[in-house]
Amino acid sequence: MCGRFVITSAPAALRQLFGYVEQPNFPPRYNVAPTQPIPVVLMENGARHFRLMRWGLLPGWVKDPKGFTLLINARSETVLEKPAFKRAIRRRRGLIPADGYYEWKVEDGRKQPFFIHRADGAPLGFAALFETWAGPNGEELDTVAIVTAAAGEDLAALHDRVPVTISERDFERWLDIRGDEVDAILPLMTAPRIGEFAWHPVSTRVNRVANDDDQLLLPISAEEMAAEAGAAKPKKAARKAAAGPADDGQGSLF
């Protein structure tokens, strides 16, 4: 699953890597969350373009968005059958530039966040599916979901799902929607190779969307993790007594 991610590479470097014609200038983001606008690279009229879309796919056939589940991820195993994704996988594929993402692992009864990134430090492109939702008053909203796959042997230690990342050599193949066939892109929807990604524990400050700074990426020690766990215990007990289990803030997995 992917419920938070990071974009820290310079805009010029991402433009060179993904090859879109626009020249957007945007600040680094250290805690990108669902429902926020995120960059998506797509193919249109024979060229790659940069678009901002809401993270959380909304199919065109949805009548009332308020009553529809937030689709931040799309399972690779079922995208050809699920009504929300079966058209997008054929005609609306994109790439989301990123430099890593966060995952949470339960340790000693609490969720410990980890920052996951390419071992070589290079930026990456998440496989994405997008749709444009049209409202009853003529409004339009571009929305997107990140494709996920079953985790490989190494990343499975953190979570059983991982975002699908498309290598630079396969960008063209993933973005090519000139035909209606998907056989060529199905092999791309797999987990990263073992050893391709590295990770380290980070502060639980990342749990709050309002926190968006470079300190979120810093590794924390076992002593710091223990201190955070101790500080969180009284608050956790109070919330449980008042309102039951708290949501982890990672959004919904479809």
Side-chain angles (χ1 to χ4, degrees):
M1 134 166 229
C2 181
R4 301 281 181 85
F5 69 93
V6 170
I7 311 173
T8 56
S9 290
L14 291 178
R15 181 174 184 259
Q16 181 177 9
L17 174 62
F18 289 92
Y20 42 79
V21 298
E22 291 78 15
Q23 300 184 48
N25 188 22
F26 46 87
R29 294 292 311 280
Y30 300 94
N31 199 5
V32 182
T35 74
Q36 294 178 347
I38 63 174
V40 179
V41 180
L42 54 91
M43 187 70 74
E44 188 175 75
N45 298 323
R48 297 183 193 176
H49 292 274
F50 176 103
R51 297 283 187 273
L52 288 178
M53 300 186 185
R54 189 199 74 165
W55 186 11
L57 186 139
L58 195 60
W61 42 261
V62 170
K63 301 298 183 183
D64 181 11
K66 294 181 180 179
F68 191 75
T69 302
L70 188 66
L71 304 180
I72 66 170
N73 294 156
R75 290 177 177 265
S76 59
E77 300 90 339
T78 58
V79 289
L80 293 178
E81 294 81 32
K82 293 292 184 180
F85 306 123
K86 65 181 182 180
R87 293 183 180 178
I89 189 61
R90 296 180 179 276
R91 304 299 300 169
R92 287 175 285 278
R93 297 190 297 270
L95 293 166
I96 296 174
D99 288 271
Y101 67 101
Y102 299 103
E103 192 53 81
W104 283 255
K105 179 183 179 181
V106 177
E107 293 187 339
D108 299 324
R110 63 187 291 268
K111 289 187 174 181
Q112 173 60 48
F114 289 79
F115 176 56
I116 305 169
H117 56 92
R118 281 182 55 109
D120 61 7
L124 51 94
F126 292 140
L129 306 178
F130 62 90
E131 288 281 6
T132 299
W133 180 80
N137 298 317
E139 66 272 30
E140 291 188 344
L141 180 64
D142 292 327
T143 65
V144 65
I146 295 173
V147 180
T148 68
E153 184 178 348
D154 52 352
L155 286 168
L158 298 180
H159 198 279
D160 62 351
R161 306 291 300 179
V162 293
V164 170
T165 54
I166 306 298
S167 65
E168 182 180 2
R169 67 177 180 274
D170 293 319
F171 283 177
E172 192 70 22
R173 178 154 52 129
W174 177 258
L175 294 174
D176 185 2
I177 54 170
R178 288 172 295 181
D180 196 36
E181 298 298 325
V182 295
D183 292 347
I185 57 95
L186 292 180
L188 302 180
M189 294 192 291
T190 58
R193 300 185 308 274
I194 293 176
E196 186 176 353
F197 279 70
W199 58 87
H200 58 260
V202 295
S203 171
T204 54
R205 290 184 60 242
V206 74
N207 295 350
R208 294 194 63 224
V209 176
N211 294 327
D212 190 355
D213 57 76
D214 58 0
Q215 299 299 301
L216 297 180
L217 304 184
L218 297 179
I220 65 171
S221 65
E223 292 76 13
E224 290 170 322
M225 283 191 284
E228 288 190 343
K233 281 183 179 179
K235 296 180 181 179
K236 183 177 180 181
R239 288 199 303 269
K240 185 174 182 180
D247 180 72
D248 62 14
Q250 294 189 66
S252 302
L253 178 65
F254 188 58

